[in-house]
Amino acid sequence: MLKLENISYSVSDKKILDNISLSFSVGKKYSILGTNGAGKSTIGYLIMGLEDYKPTEGKIFLDGKDITQKNVYERSRLGITLMWQEPARYEGLNVYTYLTLGGKLDVTKDEVEEALEKVGLDPFLYMKRFVDKSLSGGERKRVELASIILLKPKYVIFDEPDSGIDIMSLDMINNIVDYVVSYGGTPIVITHREEMAYNTDEAYLLCAGKILAHDNTKKVIEIFKNLCNACDHPNVPVTKELKIDGR
């Protein structure tokens, strides 16, 4: 289990996350839902342990062990990976080399080709392409999805996975999310879109750095549609009462 306990995060005295707790168990698909600027991506960066993203307060645990001070490389080795909203570019590195970690990943050429086909990229056309500005944002995101297929991380954080990919590709992304669960991993989908969250089992609703709701995804989406989408104060947590299913 991956757990964030009483996490707060501030930048220059501005509180981005305010005493939040989340937990993610194996075998479930999760989403972190909220409007733009709610602090969703910050949660992903904290889980990944990116530079300058250490909690101001609180701790992060993986399988009962405190990983709060571990860096991004250490967390990667523990099986945590982040699919960037805007994937990185790598000058001089082709797709095949990127996907095989320079030959260090124990996969065959056929497996690499199959992974590319699953994300809608023709291996013949893309194996030797460079992971640089010659690839569009959508193409680079598809390459990132192919890397997840091959690496099989324990925890995969999808940061706005549909960004830069056409609407017709939502099914493909959902298939990759399902695939993560099929091999025993745990997907965490960070999104501001209901369509992207629907394929998850459990959701957290975030507003201005606070958790407003945590329940099965359908109930959380109902709250999101009725409360957050109509909110005209995106930087101030909403406090008005909303009754769902008679509660």
Side-chain angles (χ1 to χ4, degrees), residues 90-127:
Y90 301 93
E91 299 292 335
L93 188 66
N94 67 33
V95 169
Y96 181 79
T97 303
Y98 173 76
L99 290 177
T100 61
L101 304 180
K104 294 179 181 178
L105 188 62
D106 186 20
V107 293
T108 65
K109 184 180 177 182
D110 287 346
E111 288 174 318
V112 175
E113 291 177 352
E114 184 180 352
L116 287 170
E117 288 171 350
K118 283 182 178 178
V119 299
L121 297 178
D122 184 337
F124 179 77
L125 297 176
Y126 282 90
M127 294 267 273

Side-chain angles (χ1 to χ4, degrees), residues 17-18 20-22 24 30-36 38-40 43 189 191-194 197 200 202-229 231 237-238 240 242 244:
L17 298 175
D18 188 4
I20 63 171
S21 294
L22 308 89
F24 308 98
Y30 294 87
S31 54
I32 300 174
L33 186 62
T35 57
N36 290 327
K40 304 184 304 296
I43 293 175
V189 180
T191 185
H192 66 280
R193 295 181 59 182
E194 303 150 29
T200 62
E202 203 171 301
Y204 290 91
L205 177 59
L206 193 71
C207 176
K210 290 180 176 290
I211 300 294
L212 291 189
H214 171 217
D215 210 320
N216 72 66
T217 300
K218 288 184 180 179
K219 289 183 179 179
V220 172
I221 286 175
E222 187 175 353
I223 297 171
F224 179 66
K225 288 193 297 185
N226 286 281
L227 190 61
C228 296
N229 284 353
C231 176
V238 178
K240 71 177 182 179
L242 181 71
I244 302 296

Side-chain angles (χ1 to χ4, degrees), residues 148-241:
I148 289 168
I149 293 172
L150 294 167
L151 285 168
K152 297 181 175 63
K154 291 180 180 178
Y155 292 89
V156 184
I157 306 158
F158 295 86
D159 187 13
E160 302 285 0
D162 57 325
S163 174
I165 293 184
D166 60 83
I167 191 71
M168 298 300 293
S169 299
L170 288 178
D171 284 345
M172 178 196 69
I173 296 169
N174 284 332
N175 287 339
I176 303 301
V177 170
D178 291 342
Y179 173 75
V180 172
V181 174
S182 75
Y183 68 71
T186 303
I188 303 167
V189 180
I190 294 172
T191 185
H192 66 280
R193 295 181 59 182
E194 303 150 29
E195 308 95 311
M196 201 69 255
Y198 266 118
N199 187 42
T200 62
D201 306 308
E202 203 171 301
Y204 290 91
L205 177 59
L206 193 71
C207 176
K210 290 180 176 290
I211 300 294
L212 291 189
H214 171 217
D215 210 320
N216 72 66
T217 300
K218 288 184 180 179
K219 289 183 179 179
V220 172
I221 286 175
E222 187 175 353
I223 297 171
F224 179 66
K225 288 193 297 185
N226 286 281
L227 190 61
C228 296
N229 284 353
C231 176
D232 55 3
H233 300 289
N235 293 317
V236 180
V238 178
T239 56
K240 71 177 182 179
E241 183 180 359

